[in-house]
Amino acid sequence: MAYTGKTPTAPLPITRQVSDNAATPVRLFSRLHRESTSSSLSSLVSSIGSLTLRRSTLHPSLPPAKPSLLLLPPELLAGIFAYVASPSLFARVCKTFRAVSRQTHARCDYFIKRYGLSLCLVKIYIHHSQFLSPESVQIFLKKGAGLPRFFVQLVSNPQNTSATGDLLPYFVEEGYRLYGESLSLELSDIDDFEKLTNDMTENIDQIRKLITKFNF
């Protein structure tokens, strides 16, 4: 073979190829909505299939590989976890999936997708209080989770502080940032709402204020 003066270029490692081609599923799941999960997963599987095809083409000496979600980087698996119907079943698939299901960020995203940003903290406090921690609360707040005034009043009540423990300062600090002196920890928006709704025609403006200004 004649010497061309050029240094042969070695094929990129398979892991690098997967990483370079991961942009497609990343964009896919950034636009994912719950109602289109099935079709989106089908598209993702097709993307994985194209990765394995390219792998076999560039490296024919390697044994053929079946399409697998395990080809995806951990951050994409965490994105998929946010949309699963049963986290417990997801965690039973394999050790990799179980590790993903235990990531705090992944679980926060799951709860946000399940309950929505506006009430996810309230729902978690009611149904999954064991998951709340200084780390998870900070993640929820950074992601834009809502903090209704009635919720801060509720967790600040001496009868409920045992359930929040070290989390109370986070809630109160964020409550003052959102509502200032209007936070009114000594009051209860829940009790006020019940009284106001006894005569909605007369109190409609106050009810509207509770809902729009204080996220009731």
Side-chain angles (χ1 to χ4, degrees):
M1 179 181 295
Y3 178 67
T4 61
K6 298 181 179 179
T7 302
T9 303
L12 289 173
I14 298 172
T15 54
R16 173 67 182 279
Q17 297 166 21
V18 172
S19 177
D20 291 345
N21 285 273
T24 297
V26 168
R27 290 193 296 269
L28 175 64
F29 276 91
S30 67
R31 302 191 305 267
L32 189 63
H33 296 288
R34 185 175 296 276
E35 62 269 16
S36 61
T37 300
S38 297
S39 61
S40 298
L41 286 176
S42 299
S43 300
L44 178 60
V45 171
S46 299
S47 298
I48 297 172
S50 67
L51 294 181
T52 56
L53 177 61
R54 183 178 179 186
R55 171 185 183 273
S56 60
T57 302
L58 295 176
H59 301 273
S61 61
L62 294 177
K66 297 180 179 180
S68 171
L69 289 176
L70 296 180
L71 288 172
L72 296 175
E75 59 269 20
L76 279 183
L77 292 177
I80 294 173
F81 174 74
Y83 292 89
V84 299
S86 175
S88 60
L89 290 180
F90 180 93
R92 295 175 191 172
V93 173
C94 62
K95 292 182 179 179
T96 300
F97 281 22
R98 182 162 59 252
V100 169
S101 71
R102 292 177 176 177
Q103 295 174 7
T104 304
H105 275 276
R107 298 182 72 184
C108 287
D109 287 338
Y110 167 78
F111 284 123
I112 288 173
K113 296 299 180 185
R114 179 174 180 180
Y115 296 125
L117 276 172
S118 60
L119 287 177
C120 65
L121 279 173
V122 178
K123 293 288 188 178
I124 295 168
Y125 175 78
I126 295 173
H127 301 293
H128 313 279
S129 60
Q130 71 279 4
F131 177 66
L132 289 177
S133 67
E135 181 187 9
S136 65
V137 169
Q138 287 184 317
I139 292 173
F140 281 124
L141 294 177
K142 286 181 180 179
K143 289 179 176 290
L147 193 66
R149 188 176 71 167
F150 80 84
F151 177 68
V152 183
Q153 294 169 341
L154 179 67
V155 298
S156 300
N157 189 307
Q159 296 179 351
N160 301 319
T161 52
S162 59
T164 53
D166 296 337
L167 301 177
L168 184 58
Y170 293 96
F171 293 134
V172 174
E173 180 180 355
E174 183 67 7
Y176 274 115
R177 188 187 71 80
L178 292 172
Y179 306 113
E181 295 301 321
S182 299
L183 183 59
S184 304
L185 293 178
E186 70 281 0
L187 301 180
S188 170
D189 285 352
I190 296 176
D191 293 341
D192 289 345
F193 185 80
E194 291 180 354
K195 294 175 183 177
L196 292 171
T197 51
N198 289 330
D199 189 348
M200 296 187 63
T201 303
E202 180 69 24
N203 302 315
I204 188 64
D205 290 337
Q206 291 174 274
I207 295 173
R208 183 181 291 111
K209 183 178 180 180
L210 279 177
I211 295 173
T212 58
K213 185 176 180 179
F214 300 117
N215 299 311
F216 188 83

